[in-house]
Amino acid sequence: MALLERSAWYDLARSTEWTPSYISEDELFPPEMSGGEGIPAEVWSTYDEPYKVTYREYVDVQRQKDEGAYSVKAALERADLYNNADPGWVSILKEHYAAVALVEYGASFQEARYVRWSKAPGMRNMATFGMLDEMRHGQIQLYFPHEYVSKDRQFDWSHQMMWSNNWVALGARHFFDDMLMTRGAAETSISANFAFETGFTNLQFIGLSGDAANAGDFTFSKLIQSIQSDEARHAQLGTPLLQMMIENGQKAKAQNLIDIAFWRSYRLFTILSGIPMDYYVPLEVRESSFKEFMEEWIVTQFMKSIEDLGLSKPWYWDIFLRDLDEHHHGQHLGTYSWRPTLWWNPAAGVSPEERDWLEEKYPGWNDTFGKVWDVMIDNFVSGRPEKTVPGTLPMICNVSQLPIVGTPGRSLKDTSIVFEGRKYHFASEVDKWIFEQDPERYKHHKNLIDRFLGGEIQPANLDGVLEYMGLGVVSPGGDDAHDYAWLEAYKTALAPAG
């Protein structure tokens, strides 16, 4: 076949299928593993993936990508990025590698489930390449940060974070288990490949690639580019399935899956992308705000792809648009306040010049979140740093597993219900709605506060919580990325006359 033109054999190879004779269809493809119930058996063979590639072509392209990424890394090793880059950018690297590297490896299991359990032969074929993609992404994003471990133990979280009980890890595992690991292959592909990768992977990888180049980190920029091109291909696995579901009377189910996955993805990415874009990227190389990037890639482009399929914007669209102005600002206040619980050193990002930028991008920022920062700055300048770290734990959402935040007097509130005698707390009406779609899926999980109140964390104080999270074991917790140098402008402004 290698001597033939691809067009002469590819369609036959990619659609090779068999009809079981000694076991039933449900034994070969158990519904709980394969999903897609209600789609007739003959329809699965019509699955037509937008991206098509042979193994020979795939290996050749991947070799070139690796060659480019590793060559740039080798060429720039003498530049000593760790000591020369802005500390805020170094914190972005710490957060990204720890939050993404092992998740990429976990995503190879997601793709492997398609290889075995998908009923569509074309999807099984393409998922094989997706599985190899994710293995490469995990390996390369574990290898690249390893050179920094000898300089800064916080980089060791690239290997450790997803095995820990850090609060960010709890939220990330809950999300990825829900979206990648515990649904049928068809439903997983819509949630993970279509909603998560088509929409939000672009946000993390394309946005960070540009920021990296602007910040002078060409090694990271090249790495991210090589990964994003893979993501763009296997992200398309879900689109044909959506079309099949819609054409076979399952439009409501498809809409429901997207509504759930979209909100859960967005809330997680306010931590992974929103905070770094608006607070950690050095001001002089900062281009788009998180909101502007979301408006371009999500509000415009991703929503067009949904509507082109005949689906609607999520029912909570107005809530989402309002949330773009505030949620990640609240999460930044929270993560900076509880900085000892982080594996990276957060940049405050609120120097006078940075506050001007935030006010320009988010009119009214100074009158809301800025007032909270005013209190924190006063405590720092007045020699009361202990008052900038809360002595208690925050309320945690039972769906997102992230702190409940918002704008004081407007959106900062606890939404709760009692289900089977247990009280559940949610960060929004949307999180509550997600829980109510399938309480059996979510009711058993215990968030960090549940574990603390249940006596699972000992001693029952901040030191016990930090040890439970792995802080002080893998590395020290976080502190200000710039060693509080940004406070000098405020010390001068607030100094007593004379």
Side-chain angles (χ1 to χ4, degrees), residues 444-475:
H444 301 289
H445 187 270
K446 292 187 288 187
N447 66 29
L448 183 68
I449 304 304
D450 296 326
R451 301 177 190 201
F452 183 81
L453 296 177
E456 297 180 32
I457 301 176
Q458 296 295 332
N461 54 32
L462 183 58
D463 288 338
V465 171
L466 295 178
E467 183 178 353
Y468 183 78
M469 291 184 181
L471 278 311
V473 179
V474 179
S475 75

Side-chain angles (χ1 to χ4, degrees), residues 417-457:
I417 62 171
V418 176
F419 181 78
E420 294 183 351
R422 177 184 170 188
K423 193 170 187 178
Y424 295 84
H425 301 272
F426 307 103
S428 70
E429 288 293 334
V430 186
D431 294 289
K432 174 175 167 285
W433 172 81
I434 292 173
F435 180 90
E436 292 172 335
Q437 298 306 293
D438 190 356
E440 289 297 320
R441 170 174 286 272
Y442 301 110
K443 72 176 185 179
H444 301 289
H445 187 270
K446 292 187 288 187
N447 66 29
L448 183 68
I449 304 304
D450 296 326
R451 301 177 190 201
F452 183 81
L453 296 177
E456 297 180 32
I457 301 176

Side-chain angles (χ1 to χ4, degrees), residues 378 381-382 487-498:
D378 181 64
V381 172
S382 301
L487 285 170
E488 292 304 317
Y490 293 104
K491 289 178 180 177
T492 303
L494 297 176

Side-chain angles (χ1 to χ4, degrees), residues 179-304:
M179 296 295 105
L180 274 64
M181 298 298 183
T182 58
R183 300 175 186 264
E187 291 74 18
T188 297
S189 186
I190 291 170
S191 299
N193 296 105
F194 185 82
F196 171 66
E197 288 186 331
T198 303
F200 291 90
T201 295
N202 284 328
L203 190 67
Q204 182 73 359
F205 288 95
I206 293 179
L208 277 182
S209 177
D211 288 336
N214 292 336
D217 189 352
F218 298 103
T219 298
F220 188 69
S221 180
K222 186 66 175 179
L223 165 67
I224 293 300
Q225 290 173 21
S226 80
I227 291 172
Q228 174 55 26
S229 56
D230 291 344
E231 299 284 352
R233 173 173 26 81
H234 64 243
Q236 302 304 313
L237 284 169
T239 304
L241 282 174
L242 266 176
Q243 295 170 324
M244 291 163 59
M245 291 182 71
I246 293 168
E247 292 168 0
N248 287 273
Q250 298 190 28
K251 183 176 180 179
K253 180 179 180 180
Q255 184 76 57
N256 183 265
L257 287 167
I258 289 174
D259 288 0
I260 292 171
F262 181 88
W263 183 262
R264 294 219 60 190
S265 301
Y266 158 66
R267 278 299 178 93
L268 181 64
F269 271 78
T270 60
I271 302 285
L272 298 181
S273 301
I275 294 174
M277 280 185 173
D278 282 355
Y279 292 93
Y280 295 1
V281 173
L283 183 61
E284 61 272 14
V285 300
R286 204 178 295 171
E287 292 186 342
S288 299
S289 68
F290 174 64
K291 179 182 178 181
E292 289 168 337
F293 208 87
M294 287 289 291
E295 287 175 337
E296 177 183 355
W297 287 95
I298 303 298
V299 176
T300 301
Q301 297 189 30
F302 182 61
M303 281 304 110
K304 184 179 184 302

Side-chain angles (χ1 to χ4, degrees), residues 111-123:
E111 299 283 337
R113 291 173 60 231
Y114 304 157
V115 176
R116 171 58 186 90
W117 303 115
S118 175
K119 294 181 179 181
M123 182 177 176

Side-chain angles (χ1 to χ4, degrees), residues 40-54:
E42 63 273 12
V43 173
W44 291 103
S45 62
T46 67
Y47 179 98
D48 187 18
E49 64 279 12
Y51 280 72
K52 293 180 172 64
V53 64
T54 67

